[in-house]
Amino acid sequence: MIKIFLTNLGKYNEGSIVGEWLELPATQEEIDTCLNNISINAEYEEYFISDFESDIDGLHIGEYENLERLNTIAETLEDVDTEIIEALIYHGYPLEDIESKVDDCIIWYGCDDMTDVAELYADEIGLLDNIPDNFKRYFDYEAFGRDMDLEGRFYFANGNCIQILG
């Protein structure tokens, strides 16, 4: 969920705060209604985003973001898991590139730390399948998890870990 507070720049410069909240993604009709409600017209053509709210940690929206572009991004990210968006933002990906990186993410469910990730990963790829059971217990998942952490990009949220590949 992304909500922005659009403010009429001309009115703001004259000392009045005229603005309205708009939830994205929005239809063109909702955008036009919002702009009309804050008196964006031939006399006052400019607006800015004076505030925003989102359930996405780490999200930053600038004052002069392009509204159409921001709305398109919100629309494309509507079906993307919030934890994946947060992981990509945390690792420095710009908002407009997130949709193209979603397929490069793996969610490791039920992981509190890298040791848990290492255990799930080893099981997933069959790392220890050909090793006798009495030797498997000597495998150091904690050290393996530390090495994975040094070589990759991981983000923990809500008891899960998101791994960004590539």
Side-chain angles (χ1 to χ4, degrees):
M1 184 272 306
I2 299 173
K3 286 176 66 172
I4 57 174
F5 193 80
L6 288 178
T7 305
N8 183 315
L9 182 60
K11 296 266 191 187
Y12 179 80
N13 288 335
E14 293 172 355
S16 298
I17 297 177
V18 178
E20 185 172 297
W21 284 101
L22 178 66
E23 188 168 337
L24 301 177
T27 65
Q28 189 60 51
E29 183 179 327
E30 292 169 328
I31 293 170
D32 292 343
T33 299
C34 179
L35 293 173
N36 187 49
N37 290 346
I38 66 170
S39 302
I40 298 298
N41 51 38
E43 183 180 356
Y44 298 103
E45 298 175 347
E46 296 181 87
Y47 58 86
F48 68 104
I49 300 168
S50 57
D51 197 5
F52 72 93
E53 293 178 358
S54 177
D55 55 358
I56 301 169
D57 286 341
L59 179 67
H60 175 74
I61 296 175
E63 290 180 323
Y64 298 104
E65 295 281 349
N66 180 292
L67 181 57
E68 289 178 24
R69 186 178 133 284
L70 192 57
N71 193 48
T72 300
I73 290 169
E75 192 174 304
T76 59
L77 296 180
E78 199 169 28
D79 297 325
V80 177
D81 189 312
T82 300
E83 293 172 352
I84 290 176
I85 297 171
E86 291 172 353
L88 291 166
I89 289 172
Y90 176 80
H91 284 283
Y93 291 93
L95 199 54
E96 57 270 4
D97 294 346
I98 287 178
E99 184 186 25
S100 65
K101 292 297 292 177
V102 168
D103 291 337
D104 295 338
C105 295
I106 298 173
I107 300 178
W108 298 100
Y109 294 99
C111 294
D112 293 321
D113 56 29
M114 286 307 296
T115 302
D116 293 341
V117 174
E119 288 178 23
L120 287 174
Y121 176 76
D123 186 51
E124 177 83 19
I125 67 166
L127 184 67
L128 304 176
D129 285 356
N130 297 323
I131 296 176
D133 287 340
N134 59 335
F135 288 114
K136 285 182 184 178
R137 66 177 163 247
Y138 294 104
F139 187 78
D140 189 348
Y141 289 105
E142 186 177 345
F144 186 51
R146 276 194 311 271
D147 287 349
M148 288 177 69
D149 194 22
L150 291 172
E151 297 171 3
R153 291 174 285 178
F154 298 88
Y155 178 82
F156 288 88
N158 302 321
N160 299 318
C161 177
I162 291 84
Q163 178 182 7
I164 303 169
L165 306 172

